Amino acid sequence: MLNAFGALAQGTRLVLSKGLRRYVFMPVLVNLILYAGTIVYLLNNFGGWIDYWMLKVPGWLEWLEWLIWPLLVLSLVVVVFFTFTLVSNLIAAPFYGFLAEKVELRVTGQPPSDDRGFTRTAIDSLGRELVKLGYILPRMALLFALGFVPGLNLVMPFLWAAFSAWMMAITYLDYPMDNNRVSFKDMRRRLRARWWPTLTFGGWVLAATWIPLANLIFLPGAVAGSVLMWQQHYRQLPIVR
């Protein structure tokens, strides 16, 4: 049975193969521009953010500054990473949806069960990304706030790791499901029903995205890998309206 790492590896090879490489150019260009912009923005602002939040630490917790500082840095890095990922996927969503469609055609010999045209699909993809944002952002804000609760902040790295894997799974596995007219609610139900493949795939995608520059290829590879995961683990599950 295809596992999460195998899906990501095969997906990356697929998008680099003849006939699919041309569909990767625009997503890579979008991510490259955002990647460069994010680095410049962080270099100019990150130190000020850390200083600002450290001033918010109550005086009675100053003795824990050695622990609070790295946890705060980690939380801010994760939030910036999430923001970069969400904005990147919002802009690249129409291209990723189209790439997922071409990969499914290559893998199965049949197009997705979707009769929408390219323009309609592109518009709907943007709407779907906004639905994802509405699901992810409140939960991300809650986790960030919990990071300032004494005691609870000690387990926040583990909560962030689990949430990050879930978010990446939702972000990428949604492309083939949207192409096959699976509702967002039903998509989440399918992911929960196959929770282990879901979290491991999300975890591997998350790890891949942290590799500088190589992640420009791994992100389209994750789209192709999500199609393979859809075929192997989720397609056969019953539809729930």
Side-chain angles (χ1 to χ4, degrees), residues 181-199:
R181 308 307 297 270
V182 176
S183 69
F184 187 71
K185 179 179 179 180
D186 192 24
M187 182 270 295
R188 299 198 318 271
R189 180 194 62 82
R190 290 173 189 244
L191 298 190
R192 288 193 298 268
R194 296 287 188 269
W195 65 271
W196 180 247
T198 297
L199 288 179

Side-chain angles (χ1 to χ4, degrees), residues 89-98 114 116-132 174-175 178-179:
N89 285 317
L90 179 63
I91 297 174
F95 305 106
Y96 282 153
F98 191 57
D114 188 353
R116 296 173 293 178
F118 177 76
T119 302
R120 182 73 254 174
T121 300
I123 294 173
D124 289 349
S125 294
L126 290 175
R128 186 85 162 207
E129 289 301 312
L130 294 177
V131 172
K132 291 181 195 176
D174 185 55
Y175 291 118
D178 185 32
N179 283 345

Side-chain angles (χ1 to χ4, degrees), residues 15 20 22-31 88-103 118 121-123 125-126 129 175 179 220 223-224:
V15 297
L20 288 177
R22 55 188 169 181
Y23 301 113
V24 177
F25 174 75
M26 283 305 298
V28 168
L29 180 61
V30 167
N31 283 299
S88 170
N89 285 317
L90 179 63
I91 297 174
F95 305 106
Y96 282 153
F98 191 57
L99 174 62
E101 177 184 336
K102 295 303 179 183
V103 171
F118 177 76
T121 300
I123 294 173
S125 294
L126 290 175
E129 289 301 312
Y175 291 118
N179 283 345
V223 174

Side-chain angles (χ1 to χ4, degrees), residues 17-87:
S17 64
K18 185 178 180 180
L20 288 177
R21 286 193 295 263
R22 55 188 169 181
Y23 301 113
V24 177
F25 174 75
M26 283 305 298
V28 168
L29 180 61
V30 167
N31 283 299
L32 183 60
I33 293 172
L34 289 174
Y35 190 76
T38 300
I39 291 177
V40 172
Y41 188 71
L42 284 178
L43 290 176
N44 291 331
N45 295 279
F46 196 79
W49 293 342
I50 295 297
D51 293 339
Y52 173 80
W53 284 107
M54 286 303 297
L55 291 174
K56 299 292 184 181
V57 176
W60 61 277
L61 281 178
E62 287 183 357
W63 66 280
L64 276 178
E65 184 174 330
W66 64 273
L67 179 61
I68 294 174
W69 189 88
L71 289 175
L72 180 58
V73 170
L74 178 62
S75 296
L76 285 174
V77 168
V78 170
V79 168
V80 171
F81 169 75
F82 278 171
T83 303
F84 166 80
T85 302
L86 293 173
V87 172

Side-chain angles (χ1 to χ4, degrees), residues 102-198:
K102 295 303 179 183
V103 171
E104 186 166 339
L105 180 61
R106 167 73 68 86
V107 171
T108 67
Q110 296 180 338
S113 55
D114 188 353
D115 55 1
R116 296 173 293 178
F118 177 76
T119 302
R120 182 73 254 174
T121 300
I123 294 173
D124 289 349
S125 294
L126 290 175
R128 186 85 162 207
E129 289 301 312
L130 294 177
V131 172
K132 291 181 195 176
L133 287 176
Y135 175 84
I136 291 171
L137 287 180
R139 290 161 175 80
M140 186 171 73
L142 176 61
L143 279 179
F144 186 70
L146 290 176
F148 294 96
V149 177
L152 186 58
N153 52 18
L154 299 178
V155 300
M156 291 312 296
F158 303 101
L159 295 179
W160 274 115
F163 175 74
S164 301
W166 177 250
M167 188 203 77
M168 298 303 285
I170 282 181
T171 299
Y172 286 92
L173 290 167
D174 185 55
Y175 291 118
M177 297 204 199
D178 185 32
N179 283 345
N180 286 276
R181 308 307 297 270
V182 176
S183 69
F184 187 71
K185 179 179 179 180
D186 192 24
M187 182 270 295
R188 299 198 318 271
R189 180 194 62 82
R190 290 173 189 244
L191 298 190
R192 288 193 298 268
R194 296 287 188 269
W195 65 271
W196 180 247
T198 297

